[in-house]
Amino acid sequence: MMRRSLRGFFTPPLFANDENKTRIAGYVHLIALVFMAAIVGFIAFSKISSGVFDLNWFDGILFSFLLAIFGISEFSKRGYVQQAGLALVVILWLAVNGTAFYGAGVRDTSFIANFAVLLATGLLLGWKAAAALSGLTIAAGIGLAYAEVNGISPAVYSPNSPLIVIQGLAVIFLIFAVFIYLLISGLENAIQTTQAGTRELEEANRELVSARGRIEENRNELLLANEQLKRRAERISTIANISKTLTLVQEIEQLLPSVVATISQRFGYYHVGIYLLDEPKQVANLRAASSEGGKRMVKRGHRVLAGSTGIISFVMERGEARIALDEGVRPAKFENPDLPETRSQLVLPLKVKEIVIGALDIQSVQPNAFTEEDTSILSILADQAAIAIQNANSAEQALNALRNAEIASRQLSGKAWRGYAETLKVRGYRYDGVKPEPVKDAVRSSAAESSLSIPIRVRGHVIGRLKLSPPDGSRRWTEDEIAMAEATAERVALALEGARLLDDAQRKAARETFLSDISAKLGTSFQLDSILRDTVQELGESFRNATVSFQLINPSETERGNGRDSEK
C-alpha cells in the first residue's frame, strides 16, 4: 500500500486523448516536486550548517509553501491543469520574492530564483504569461531595492559567508538546470514529434499519391467498364430489336436475306452470310449474304463440304464459335476473290437444342475486330437466328402439310360428292313464284343475259348451281342482289356439306350398330346351324332387295380348284 502510494505520488498524471493537457500536467507535477524537494533541502541544509535545529517562523512559512505546492500538484491530477499551473506560478513567485523581502533584498539568492519561476511560467502558461511575469519581477526588484533603501523591509545588507551564498546559488542553479532540462527536452520532444509528424505526413502524402494513382486507375477502369457495359447494352438492345424483327418473318426465303442484311446494317460488318446444312448433313450451302461478293457466291451455289478444312466446316462440326484474325500479314485463310477486304472473321454455329443446323459467318475489314465478348454477345443473336430459321422451316413444313391435306380433302370431298349425288332421287328444285317443284331432268344453262347463275362450291368442287331467271328479259341485277345471292350460295354449300357429312355419319353409325348387334347375337350361339341361319337372316333383313345365302365348302377342293386354274 505504501509503495503504491509513493508510486502514485511520483507518477505524473495522464489524460487520454489530450496530449497538451497531459504535457502541462507533467510539468506541474515535476516543478512541484522540484520546489518541494528544494524547500526540504534548503531547510535541512540551513539547520545543519548553522547547527541550530529549532524551527522558527521562517521555517513555518516555507512549510506552508510546501503544503500549498503539494495541494496544487494534487489539484492538477484531478484535471484542473490550467488552474493548477497558474496557482503554482503565483505561489512560487510569492515565495521567491517574499523570501528576498525578508532576506537580503535584491541581493538575496532567492531573488535570483525568479529566473527559474520565469522558466516555469513559460513551460506552464506560455511565453505571454512569462513576458508579463518578467515585467512584474522587474517591478518587484525595484520595489525591494526601494524598500531596503528607505528602511521599509527588514532586509539589511550583511556579507554572508561564501558557503551560504554557494548553497543558495547551488539550489537556484539546480532548479534552473531542471527547468532548462524540461525546456530543452520539451523542445526536443516537440522537434521529434514534428519530425515524426513530418515523416508521417510524407508517408501519408506518398500513400495519398499512390491512392490517387490507384483511384485514377480505378476511374479509368470504371470508365472503360462503363463504355463496355454501354456498348454491350446497346448491342443487346440491337439484338433484341433484330430478334423482334425476325419473329415477324415466317418464310425462309425472306427470312435469311433479312437476317444477314439486318446484322450487317446494325453492326456495320463487311460481310454476313448464312450457311445451312442439308438433310444428310454432308453439305452446307450458302443461302444468303449481305455483301455483293457474298451474293455472287450465293448465285454460284457456293457450298462447304462437311469434314473439309476451313473455319466454316470446323464450327459446324464442333458446334463452337471460332475467330480468325489478321495478325499483320494477310493469311491465306482470307484469300477470297469475292471478299477481298476481309481482315477478321467470326463464325458462330446455328444451333437448335444443341443440334447444329448451319453457321453464321461474320467478316470485318478491321484487323482485330472480334473479341471474346463479341463472341458471347453475337452468340445470343446466332441462337435467335437459328430459332427463327427453325420456326420458318417448321412453318413452311406445316404450310406444305396443310396444303397437301387441303388437296387430299378436296379430292376426297369431290369423290364423296360424286358418289353421294348418284344416290339422290331429287337433285334440285325450281320455284316459279307459286310453289317449289322438283327438277327431274338436268336443266341446260340459259344464255340469256338477264339470267344470274351462281355456282355452289364445296372445297373447290362445283356441286350445283343457283340460277335466277327474271320474267323480264331486260332486267339487270343490282350489286346488292348479286351479293345476296352469292352469300346464299355460300351458306347453301355449307348446309349441303353438313347434310352430306351427317348422312355419312348416320350410315357409318348404322353399320357399326348392325355389326355390334350381329356380333352380340352370334356370340350367344354355339351351334353351327344357328350361326349360319342367324347370319343370312340378319343380312337379308338389312339388304331387303337381295337374296342372301351362306354355304360351307371344303378347303381342299378350293385348293385343287385354284391349282387347276393356275395350270390353265
Side-chain angles (χ1 to χ4, degrees):
M1 182 66 71
M2 181 65 69
R3 181 179 301 176
R4 184 179 301 174
S5 299
L6 290 175
R7 184 180 301 167
F9 176 75
F10 288 102
T11 302
L14 293 175
F15 298 97
N17 301 325
D18 197 338
E19 183 180 356
N20 186 55
K21 190 173 182 179
T22 301
R23 179 180 60 82
I24 296 174
Y27 287 156
V28 171
H29 179 74
L30 291 176
I31 293 171
L33 288 178
V34 169
F35 271 96
M36 285 189 291
I39 290 173
V40 173
F42 179 80
I43 294 174
F45 188 79
S46 62
K47 297 300 181 185
I48 294 172
S49 61
S50 62
V52 179
F53 296 96
D54 296 333
L55 296 176
N56 52 34
W57 62 271
F58 187 70
D59 296 331
I61 293 175
L62 292 178
F63 275 115
S64 298
F65 279 119
L66 186 144
L67 293 175
I69 294 172
F70 175 76
I72 291 172
S73 177
E74 294 297 321
F75 191 63
S76 69
K77 290 181 180 181
R78 287 171 171 77
Y80 301 98
V81 176
Q82 294 292 338
Q83 297 85 342
L86 179 61
L88 182 60
V89 169
V90 172
I91 290 295
L92 294 178
W93 190 84
L94 292 176
V96 168
N97 290 284
T99 303
F101 180 78
Y102 286 101
V106 293
R107 296 182 302 279
D108 196 274
T109 54
S110 61
F111 185 76
I112 302 175
N114 277 306
F115 291 104
V117 176
L118 291 175
L119 288 176
T121 304
L123 291 172
L124 297 175
L125 304 179
W127 67 270
K128 292 182 180 180
L133 189 64
S134 297
L136 187 61
T137 302
I138 293 172
I142 295 173
L144 289 173
Y146 178 81
E148 182 181 353
V149 171
N150 294 284
I152 299 174
S153 68
V156 178
Y157 174 75
S158 60
N160 296 322
S161 64
L163 184 60
I164 296 175
V165 175
I166 291 173
Q167 169 191 344
L169 291 175
V171 172
I172 292 172
F173 283 129
L174 179 61
I175 296 173
F176 195 75
V178 171
F179 288 168
I180 291 295
Y181 166 75
L182 293 175
L183 180 61
I184 293 174
S185 63
L187 291 175
E188 290 179 348
N189 291 334
I191 292 172
Q192 292 177 359
T193 303
T194 302
Q195 291 176 348
T198 302
R199 288 193 296 270
E200 292 178 357
L201 184 60
E202 292 177 352
E203 183 67 24
N205 287 334
R206 285 194 295 270
E207 293 179 355
L208 184 60
V209 171
S210 178
R212 182 177 180 182
R214 290 194 298 271
I215 291 174
E216 190 68 23
E217 292 177 358
N218 294 335
R219 178 176 175 272
N220 294 333
E221 292 177 357
L222 286 175
L223 290 176
L224 180 61
N226 287 334
E227 288 295 328
Q228 292 176 350
L229 289 175
K230 183 178 178 181
R231 183 166 174 260
R232 185 182 181 90
E234 290 177 352
R235 289 195 165 195
I236 292 176
S237 177
T238 302
I239 290 173
N241 293 331
I242 293 174
S243 301
K244 188 183 297 182
T245 303
L246 297 182
T247 57
L248 301 177
V249 184
Q250 295 295 329
E251 296 182 2
I252 191 71
E253 298 301 329
Q254 295 181 3
L255 174 64
L256 298 181
S258 176
V259 170
V260 296
T262 305
I263 294 175
S264 179
Q265 293 173 2
R266 295 290 182 90
F267 293 99
Y269 292 127
Y270 167 55
H271 167 79
V272 179
I274 289 182
Y275 290 83
L276 293 182
L277 284 167
D278 60 358
E279 190 61 31
K281 297 188 180 298
Q282 297 298 321
V283 177
N285 297 300
L286 180 61
R287 297 287 300 276
S290 62
S291 62
E292 294 299 326
K295 292 177 181 178
R296 289 195 297 270
M297 295 169 64
V298 173
K299 290 181 179 179
R300 288 201 312 267
H302 179 73
R303 62 181 186 171
V304 176
L305 297 178
S308 62
T309 59
I311 187 172
I312 303 294
S313 177
F314 176 86
V315 169
M316 290 189 294
E317 182 180 354
R318 298 288 185 88
E320 300 174 357
R322 190 171 180 85
I323 298 174
L325 302 176
D326 187 349
E327 299 175 354
V329 179
R330 181 173 173 81
K333 58 190 174 185
F334 291 143
E335 291 296 341
N336 187 343
D338 293 305
L339 302 171
E341 300 181 21
T342 297
R343 293 296 179 273
S344 300
Q345 186 177 12
L346 170 63
V347 181
L348 300 162
L350 297 174
K351 296 190 295 184
V352 178
K353 296 181 179 180
E354 300 303 322
I355 299 176
V356 178
I357 64 172
L360 179 63
D361 180 24
I362 303 174
Q363 300 182 23
S364 173
V365 297
Q366 302 298 326
N368 298 295
F370 302 108
T371 62
E372 294 298 329
E373 181 181 357
D374 295 325
T375 303
S376 63
I377 293 177
L378 293 175
S379 294
I380 301 174
L381 180 57
D383 293 339
Q384 296 295 323
I387 293 173
I389 293 171
Q390 184 68 16
N391 291 339
N393 286 330
S394 300
E396 186 174 356
Q397 293 173 1
L399 185 62
N400 291 333
L402 181 62
R403 189 180 298 112
N404 294 332
E406 184 68 21
I407 293 173
S409 177
R410 287 181 181 180
Q411 293 175 351
L412 292 175
S413 179
K415 184 178 179 181
W417 268 104
R418 283 193 296 272
Y420 183 70
E422 294 176 354
T423 64
L424 298 177
K425 295 180 180 180
V426 178
R427 297 191 178 187
Y429 282 86
R430 180 175 58 190
Y431 182 72
D432 57 0
V434 179
K435 64 177 181 177
E437 297 178 353
V439 177
K440 297 180 180 180
D441 299 328
V443 180
R444 295 181 180 181
S445 300
S446 176
E449 295 181 358
S450 59
S451 298
L452 178 62
S453 179
I454 299 173
I456 307 299
R457 299 179 184 274
V458 173
R459 298 186 182 275
H461 297 280
V462 177
I463 64 171
R465 291 184 183 278
L466 180 63
K467 184 178 180 182
L468 288 83
S469 301
D472 185 4
S474 62
R475 178 178 176 179
R476 294 291 182 267
W477 301 97
T478 65
E479 293 183 358
D480 290 339
E481 290 173 337
I482 296 173
M484 184 182 299
E486 290 177 347
T488 303
E490 292 177 359
R491 284 160 175 76
V492 168
L494 293 175
L496 291 174
E497 179 68 5
R500 185 191 67 79
L501 292 175
L502 178 60
D503 188 53
D504 187 51
Q506 288 175 347
R507 289 199 305 271
K508 290 181 180 180
R511 183 172 62 248
E512 294 297 329
T513 302
F514 169 74
L515 293 175
S516 177
D517 293 341
I518 194 171
S519 297
K521 191 170 184 179
L522 293 176
T524 60
S525 300
F526 296 98
Q527 295 181 0
L528 181 62
D529 183 69
S530 63
I531 292 174
L532 296 177
R533 185 178 61 252
D534 292 341
T535 300
V536 296
Q537 182 179 353
E538 291 294 333
L539 288 175
E541 291 178 355
S542 297
F543 303 102
R544 297 184 181 277
N545 297 326
T547 301
V548 181
S549 63
F550 194 163
Q551 182 180 3
L552 293 175
I553 61 176
N554 191 349
S556 59
E557 294 179 358
T558 305
E559 293 176 358
R560 285 196 300 271
N562 292 336
R564 288 194 297 270
D565 292 340
S566 63
E567 290 175 0
K568 292 179 180 180

